[in-house]
Structure formats: structure tokens, C-alpha cells
Coordinates of all heavy atoms in Angstrom, one line a residue:
M94 N 0.8 -1.2 0.0 CA 0.0 0.0 0.0 C 0.9 1.3 0.0 O 1.8 1.3 0.8 CB -0.9 0.0 1.3 CG -2.0 -0.9 1.3 SD -3.3 -0.5 0.0 CE -4.0 1.0 0.7
P95 N 0.5 2.2 -0.8 CA 1.3 3.5 -0.8 C 0.9 4.3 0.4 O -0.1 4.1 1.1 CB 0.9 4.2 -2.1 CG -0.5 3.6 -2.4 CD -0.5 2.2 -1.9
K96 N 1.8 5.2 0.8 CA 1.6 6.1 1.9 C 0.4 7.0 1.6 O 0.2 7.4 0.4 CB 2.8 6.9 2.3 CG 3.9 6.1 2.9 CD 5.0 7.0 3.4 CE 6.3 6.7 2.9 NZ 7.3 7.6 3.2
I97 N -0.3 7.5 2.6 CA -1.4 8.5 2.4 C -0.8 9.9 2.5 O 0.0 10.1 3.4 CB -2.5 8.3 3.5 CG1 -3.0 6.8 3.5 CG2 -3.6 9.3 3.3 CD1 -3.8 6.5 4.7
K98 N -1.2 10.7 1.6 CA -0.7 12.1 1.7 C -1.5 12.9 2.7 O -2.7 12.7 2.8 CB -0.9 12.8 0.3 CG 0.2 12.4 -0.7 CD 0.2 13.3 -1.9 CE 1.4 13.0 -2.8 NZ 1.4 13.9 -3.9
T99 N -0.8 13.7 3.5 CA -1.4 14.5 4.5 C -2.0 15.7 3.8 O -1.4 16.3 2.9 CB -0.3 15.0 5.5 OG1 0.2 13.9 6.1 CG2 -0.9 16.0 6.5
H100 N -3.2 16.1 4.2 CA -3.8 17.3 3.7 C -3.2 18.5 4.3 O -3.3 18.7 5.5 CB -5.3 17.3 4.0 CG -6.1 18.4 3.3 ND1 -6.0 19.7 3.7 CD2 -7.0 18.3 2.3 CE1 -6.8 20.4 2.9 NE2 -7.5 19.6 2.1
R101 N -2.4 19.3 3.6 CA -1.5 20.3 4.2 C -2.3 21.4 4.8 O -1.9 22.0 5.8 CB -0.6 20.9 3.1 CG 0.4 19.9 2.5 CD 1.1 19.0 3.6 NE 2.0 19.8 4.4 CZ 2.4 19.4 5.6 NH1 2.1 18.2 6.1 NH2 3.2 20.2 6.3
G102 N -3.5 21.7 4.3 CA -4.4 22.8 4.9 C -4.9 22.3 6.2 O -4.9 23.1 7.2
A103 N -5.2 21.1 6.3 CA -5.7 20.5 7.6 C -4.6 20.4 8.6 O -4.7 20.7 9.8 CB -6.3 19.2 7.4
A104 N -3.4 20.1 8.1 CA -2.2 19.9 9.0 C -1.9 21.3 9.7 O -1.4 21.3 10.8 CB -1.0 19.4 8.2
K105 N -2.1 22.4 9.0 CA -1.8 23.7 9.6 C -2.9 24.1 10.6 O -2.6 25.0 11.4 CB -1.7 24.7 8.4 CG -0.4 24.5 7.6 CD -0.5 25.3 6.3 CE 0.6 24.8 5.4 NZ 0.5 25.4 4.0
R106 N -4.1 23.6 10.4 CA -5.2 24.0 11.3 C -5.5 23.2 12.5 O -6.1 23.6 13.5 CB -6.5 24.1 10.4 CG -6.5 25.3 9.5 CD -7.7 25.2 8.5 NE -7.8 26.4 7.7 CZ -7.1 26.5 6.6 NH1 -6.2 25.6 6.1 NH2 -7.2 27.6 5.9
F107 N -5.1 21.9 12.4 CA -5.5 21.0 13.5 C -4.2 20.3 14.1 O -3.2 20.0 13.4 CB -6.4 19.9 13.0 CG -7.7 20.4 12.4 CD1 -7.8 20.4 11.0 CD2 -8.7 21.0 13.1 CE1 -9.0 21.0 10.4 CE2 -9.8 21.5 12.6 CZ -10.0 21.5 11.2
R108 N -4.3 20.0 15.4 CA -3.3 19.2 16.1 C -4.0 18.1 16.9 O -5.1 18.2 17.3 CB -2.5 20.1 17.1 CG -1.8 21.3 16.5 CD -0.4 20.8 16.0 NE 0.3 21.9 15.3 CZ 0.3 22.0 13.9 NH1 -0.5 21.2 13.2 NH2 0.9 22.9 13.3
L109 N -3.2 17.0 17.1 CA -3.8 15.9 17.9 C -3.3 16.1 19.3 O -2.1 16.4 19.6 CB -3.3 14.6 17.3 CG -4.0 14.0 16.1 CD1 -3.5 12.7 15.7 CD2 -5.5 13.9 16.4
T110 N -4.2 15.8 20.3 CA -3.8 15.8 21.7 C -3.2 14.4 22.0 O -3.2 13.5 21.2 CB -5.0 16.0 22.6 OG1 -5.9 15.0 22.4 CG2 -5.6 17.4 22.3
A111 N -2.7 14.3 23.2 CA -2.0 13.0 23.6 C -3.1 11.9 23.7 O -2.7 10.7 23.5 CB -1.4 13.2 25.0
T112 N -4.3 12.2 24.0 CA -5.4 11.2 24.0 C -6.0 10.9 22.7 O -6.9 10.1 22.6 CB -6.5 11.6 25.0 OG1 -7.0 12.8 24.7 CG2 -5.9 11.6 26.4
G113 N -5.6 11.6 21.6 CA -6.1 11.3 20.3 C -7.2 12.2 19.9 O -7.8 12.0 18.8
K114 N -7.6 13.2 20.7 CA -8.6 14.1 20.3 C -8.0 15.2 19.3 O -6.8 15.3 19.3 CB -9.2 14.8 21.5 CG -10.0 13.8 22.4 CD -10.5 14.5 23.6 CE -11.2 13.5 24.5 NZ -11.4 14.1 25.8
V115 N -8.8 15.9 18.6 CA -8.3 16.9 17.7 C -8.5 18.3 18.2 O -9.6 18.6 18.6 CB -9.0 16.8 16.3 CG1 -8.5 17.8 15.3 CG2 -8.8 15.3 15.7
K116 N -7.5 19.1 18.3 CA -7.5 20.4 18.8 C -7.6 21.4 17.6 O -7.0 21.2 16.6 CB -6.2 20.7 19.6 CG -6.3 21.7 20.7 CD -5.2 21.6 21.7 CE -3.9 22.1 21.1 NZ -2.9 22.4 22.1
R117 N -8.3 22.5 17.8 CA -8.5 23.5 16.8 C -8.5 24.9 17.4 O -8.7 25.0 18.6 CB -9.8 23.3 16.0 CG -11.0 23.6 16.9 CD -12.3 23.5 16.1 NE -13.4 23.8 17.0 CZ -13.9 25.0 17.2 NH1 -13.4 26.1 16.7 NH2 -15.0 25.2 18.0
N118 N -8.2 25.9 16.6 CA -8.4 27.3 17.0 C -9.8 27.8 16.7 O -10.4 27.3 15.7 CB -7.3 28.2 16.4 CG -6.0 28.0 17.0 OD1 -5.9 27.7 18.2 ND2 -4.9 28.0 16.2
K119 N -10.3 28.7 17.4 CA -11.6 29.2 17.2 C -11.6 30.2 16.1 O -10.6 30.9 15.8 CB -12.2 29.9 18.5 CG -12.4 28.9 19.6 CD -13.0 29.5 20.8 CE -13.2 28.5 21.9 NZ -13.5 29.1 23.2
A120 N -12.7 30.3 15.4 CA -12.9 31.3 14.3 C -13.3 32.6 14.8 O -13.6 32.8 15.9 CB -13.9 30.7 13.3
Y121 N -13.5 33.6 13.8 CA -14.0 34.9 14.1 C -13.1 35.8 15.0 O -13.6 36.7 15.7 CB -15.4 34.9 14.7 CG -16.4 34.1 13.9 CD1 -16.8 32.8 14.4 CD2 -16.8 34.5 12.7 CE1 -17.7 32.1 13.7 CE2 -17.7 33.7 12.0 CZ -18.1 32.5 12.5 OH -19.0 31.8 11.7
S122 N -11.8 35.6 14.9 CA -10.9 36.4 15.8 C -9.9 37.2 15.0 O -9.0 37.8 15.6 CB -10.2 35.4 16.7 OG -9.4 34.5 16.0
S123 N -10.0 37.3 13.7 CA -9.0 38.0 12.9 C -9.3 39.4 12.5 O -8.4 40.2 12.4 CB -8.6 37.1 11.7 OG -9.7 36.9 10.9
H124 N -10.5 39.7 12.2 CA -10.8 41.1 11.9 C -12.2 41.5 12.3 O -12.9 40.7 12.9 CB -10.6 41.4 10.4 CG -11.5 40.5 9.5 ND1 -12.8 40.7 9.3 CD2 -11.2 39.3 8.9 CE1 -13.3 39.8 8.5 NE2 -12.3 38.9 8.2
I125 N -12.6 42.8 12.1 CA -13.8 43.3 12.6 C -13.9 43.1 14.2 O -14.9 42.5 14.6 CB -15.1 42.8 11.9 CG1 -14.8 42.7 10.4 CG2 -16.3 43.7 12.2 CD1 -16.0 42.1 9.6
L126 N -12.9 43.5 14.9 CA -12.8 43.2 16.3 C -13.4 44.3 17.2 O -13.6 44.1 18.3 CB -11.4 43.0 16.7 CG -10.7 41.7 16.0 CD1 -9.3 41.7 16.3 CD2 -11.4 40.5 16.5
T127 N -13.7 45.5 16.6 CA -14.1 46.6 17.4 C -15.5 46.4 18.0 O -15.8 46.8 19.1 CB -14.2 47.9 16.5 OG1 -14.8 47.7 15.3 CG2 -12.7 48.4 16.3
K128 N -16.4 45.7 17.2 CA -17.7 45.5 17.7 C -17.9 44.3 18.6 O -18.9 44.1 19.2 CB -18.7 45.4 16.6 CG -18.5 44.2 15.6 CD -19.6 44.1 14.6 CE -19.3 44.7 13.3 NZ -20.2 44.4 12.2
K129 N -16.8 43.5 18.7 CA -16.9 42.3 19.6 C -16.4 42.7 21.0 O -15.5 43.5 21.2 CB -16.0 41.2 19.1 CG -16.5 40.7 17.8 CD -15.5 39.7 17.1 CE -16.0 39.4 15.7 NZ -15.0 39.0 14.8
T130 N -17.1 42.2 22.0 CA -16.7 42.5 23.4 C -15.3 41.9 23.8 O -14.9 41.0 23.2 CB -17.8 42.0 24.4 OG1 -17.7 40.6 24.3 CG2 -19.1 42.5 24.1
T131 N -14.7 42.5 24.8 CA -13.4 42.1 25.3 C -13.5 40.6 25.7 O -12.6 39.8 25.5 CB -12.9 43.0 26.4 OG1 -13.1 44.3 26.0 CG2 -11.5 42.7 26.7
K132 N -14.6 40.3 26.4 CA -14.8 39.0 27.0 C -14.9 38.0 25.8 O -14.3 36.9 25.9 CB -16.1 38.9 27.7 CG -16.5 37.6 28.3 CD -17.8 37.7 29.1 CE -18.2 36.3 29.7 NZ -19.4 36.4 30.4
R133 N -15.6 38.3 24.7 CA -15.7 37.4 23.6 C -14.4 37.2 22.9 O -14.0 36.1 22.5 CB -16.7 38.0 22.6 CG -17.0 37.1 21.4 CD -18.1 37.7 20.6 NE -18.2 37.1 19.3 CZ -18.9 37.6 18.3 NH1 -19.5 38.8 18.4 NH2 -18.9 37.0 17.1
K134 N -13.6 38.3 22.7 CA -12.3 38.2 22.1 C -11.3 37.4 22.9 O -10.6 36.6 22.3 CB -11.7 39.6 21.8 CG -12.5 40.4 20.7 CD -11.8 41.7 20.4 CE -12.2 42.7 21.4 NZ -11.7 44.1 21.0
R135 N -11.4 37.5 24.2 CA -10.5 36.8 25.1 C -10.8 35.3 25.0 O -10.0 34.4 25.0 CB -10.7 37.3 26.5 CG -9.7 36.8 27.5 CD -9.7 37.5 28.8 NE -11.0 37.6 29.4 CZ -11.7 38.7 29.6 NH1 -11.2 39.9 29.2 NH2 -12.9 38.7 30.2
S136 N -12.1 35.0 24.9 CA -12.5 33.6 24.8 C -12.1 32.9 23.5 O -11.9 31.8 23.4 CB -14.0 33.4 25.0 OG -14.7 32.7 24.1
L137 N -12.1 33.8 22.4 CA -11.7 33.3 21.1 C -10.2 33.0 21.0 O -9.8 32.2 20.1 CB -12.0 34.3 20.0 CG -13.5 34.5 19.7 CD1 -13.7 35.7 18.8 CD2 -14.1 33.3 19.1
R138 N -9.4 33.5 21.9 CA -8.0 33.2 21.9 C -7.7 31.8 22.2 O -6.7 31.2 21.7 CB -7.3 34.1 23.0 CG -6.9 35.4 22.5 CD -6.1 36.1 23.6 NE -6.5 37.5 23.8 CZ -6.6 38.1 25.0 NH1 -6.2 37.5 26.1 NH2 -7.0 39.3 25.1
K139 N -8.5 31.2 23.1 CA -8.2 29.8 23.6 C -8.6 28.8 22.5 O -9.5 29.0 21.7 CB -9.1 29.5 24.8 CG -8.8 30.5 25.9 CD -9.8 30.4 27.0 CE -9.5 31.4 28.1 NZ -10.8 31.9 28.7
S140 N -7.8 27.7 22.5 CA -8.1 26.6 21.5 C -9.2 25.8 22.1 O -9.6 25.9 23.2 CB -6.9 25.8 21.3 OG -6.5 25.2 22.5
D141 N -9.8 25.0 21.2 CA -11.0 24.2 21.5 C -10.8 22.8 20.9 O -10.0 22.6 20.0 CB -12.2 24.9 20.9 CG -13.5 24.5 21.6 OD1 -13.4 23.8 22.7 OD2 -14.6 24.9 21.2
L142 N -11.6 21.9 21.4 CA -11.6 20.5 20.8 C -12.6 20.4 19.7 O -13.7 21.1 19.7 CB -11.9 19.5 21.9 CG -10.8 19.3 22.9 CD1 -11.3 18.3 24.0 CD2 -9.5 18.8 22.3
L143 N -12.3 19.7 18.7 CA -13.2 19.5 17.6 C -14.4 18.6 18.0 O -14.3 17.8 18.8 CB -12.4 18.8 16.5 CG -12.9 18.9 15.0 CD1 -12.9 20.3 14.6 CD2 -12.1 18.0 14.1
D144 N -15.5 18.9 17.4 CA -16.7 18.1 17.7 C -16.5 16.7 17.2 O -15.9 16.4 16.2 CB -17.9 18.7 16.9 CG -19.2 18.2 17.5 OD1 -19.6 18.5 18.6 OD2 -19.9 17.5 16.7
K145 N -17.2 15.7 17.9 CA -17.0 14.3 17.6 C -17.4 14.0 16.2 O -16.8 13.1 15.6 CB -17.9 13.5 18.6 CG -17.1 12.7 19.6 CD -18.0 11.9 20.5 CE -17.4 11.9 21.9 NZ -18.3 11.4 22.9
S146 N -18.5 14.6 15.7 CA -19.0 14.3 14.4 C -18.0 14.7 13.3 O -18.0 14.1 12.2 CB -20.3 15.0 14.1 OG -20.2 16.4 14.3
D147 N -17.1 15.6 13.5 CA -16.1 16.0 12.5 C -14.8 15.3 12.7 O -13.9 15.3 11.8 CB -15.9 17.5 12.6 CG -17.1 18.3 12.4 OD1 -17.9 17.9 11.5 OD2 -17.3 19.3 13.1
M148 N -14.6 14.6 13.8 CA -13.3 14.1 14.2 C -12.8 13.1 13.3 O -11.6 13.1 12.8 CB -13.3 13.6 15.6 CG -11.9 13.7 16.3 SD -11.9 13.6 18.1 CE -12.9 14.9 18.6
N149 N -13.6 12.1 12.9 CA -13.1 11.0 12.0 C -12.6 11.5 10.6 O -11.6 11.1 10.1 CB -14.2 9.9 11.8 CG -14.3 9.1 13.1 OD1 -13.4 9.0 13.9 ND2 -15.5 8.5 13.2
G150 N -13.4 12.4 10.1 CA -13.0 13.0 8.8 C -11.7 13.7 8.8 O -10.9 13.6 7.9
I151 N -11.5 14.5 9.9 CA -10.2 15.3 10.0 C -9.1 14.3 10.3 O -8.0 14.5 9.8 CB -10.4 16.3 11.1 CG1 -11.4 17.4 10.7 CG2 -9.0 17.0 11.4 CD1 -11.2 18.2 9.5
K152 N -9.3 13.3 11.1 CA -8.2 12.3 11.4 C -7.7 11.6 10.1 O -6.5 11.3 10.0 CB -8.7 11.3 12.4 CG -8.6 11.8 13.8 CD -8.8 10.7 14.8 CE -8.6 11.2 16.2 NZ -8.9 10.1 17.2
K153 N -8.6 11.4 9.1 CA -8.2 10.8 7.8 C -7.3 11.8 7.0 O -6.5 11.4 6.3 CB -9.4 10.5 7.0 CG -10.1 9.2 7.5 CD -11.3 8.9 6.7 CE -12.1 7.7 7.4 NZ -13.4 7.6 6.9
L154 N -7.5 13.1 7.2 CA -6.7 14.1 6.5 C -5.3 14.3 7.1 O -4.4 14.7 6.4 CB -7.4 15.5 6.5 CG -8.8 15.5 5.8 CD1 -9.4 16.9 6.0 CD2 -8.7 15.2 4.3
I155 N -5.2 14.0 8.4 CA -3.9 14.1 9.1 C -3.4 12.8 9.6 O -3.3 12.6 10.8 CB -3.9 15.2 10.1 CG1 -5.1 15.1 11.1 CG2 -3.9 16.6 9.5 CD1 -5.1 16.0 12.2
P156 N -3.1 11.8 8.8 CA -2.9 10.4 9.3 C -1.6 10.2 10.1 O -1.6 9.3 10.9 CB -2.8 9.6 8.0 CG -2.4 10.5 6.9 CD -3.0 11.9 7.3
Y157 N -0.6 11.0 9.9 CA 0.7 10.7 10.6 C 1.0 11.7 11.7 O 2.1 11.8 12.1 CB 1.8 10.7 9.5 CG 1.5 9.7 8.4 CD1 1.2 10.1 7.2 CD2 1.6 8.4 8.7 CE1 1.0 9.2 6.1 CE2 1.3 7.4 7.7 CZ 1.0 7.9 6.4 OH 0.8 7.0 5.5
M158 N 0.0 12.5 12.1 CA 0.3 13.5 13.2 C 0.2 12.8 14.6 O -0.4 11.8 14.8 CB -0.7 14.6 13.1 CG -0.4 15.5 12.0 SD -1.5 16.9 12.1 CE -0.4 18.1 12.8

């Protein structure tokens, strides 16, 4: 069997945790920040875990991480 190519876009956006869950950064934090509250912007800084329903598809895109 040939090796599976890693999806480079996914590799830059997702990381695997030690337990095998997928970590991601939150969206909506790059521009139009003046109308967002400080509390909301602070919460967007933190990373989050990917939803279970999306996890299998993303894991196929990053097989060797």
C-alpha cells in the first residue's frame, strides 16, 4: 500500500492531543474586532476541541500526526 498524503491545509489548522482528540483554534478572531466585546475576544484566543462528528473526517486528512 502506498503512503497516504497529508492534507496540508488541515495539518496547519489541527493538532492531535495525547489522548487522540483533535484540537483547533476558534474562528472569528482575525478582523472586525471593534464591535466584539473584550470577553468574547478573550474567549476566542483559547483553543478548543473538535466536535465528535467532525473528528473522523479530519483524522483521515492528518494520518501521521
Side-chain angles (χ1 to χ4, degrees):
M94 285 294 290
K96 289 192 235 173
I97 305 166
K98 283 194 174 181
T99 299
H100 189 290
R101 297 313 295 160
K105 291 164 191 174
R106 286 173 174 83
F107 303 106
R108 295 277 174 266
L109 282 180
T110 63
T112 55
K114 294 175 183 169
V115 181
K116 206 162 74 163
R117 67 173 181 89
N118 285 324
K119 291 180 183 171
Y121 306 111
S122 61
S123 56
H124 58 80
I125 317 176
L126 297 172
T127 48
K128 63 173 97 169
K129 293 172 190 153
T130 64
T131 311
K132 180 181 178 181
R133 184 175 164 195
K134 288 186 280 192
R135 190 166 55 243
S136 130
L137 289 172
R138 275 185 224 147
K139 299 169 185 145
S140 60
D141 202 7
L142 291 177
L143 201 64
D144 195 67
K145 251 183 218 169
S146 57
D147 300 321
M148 207 161 303
N149 287 336
I151 296 300
K152 278 187 174 180
K153 283 177 188 164
L154 297 177
I155 48 172
Y157 303 110
M158 284 187 101

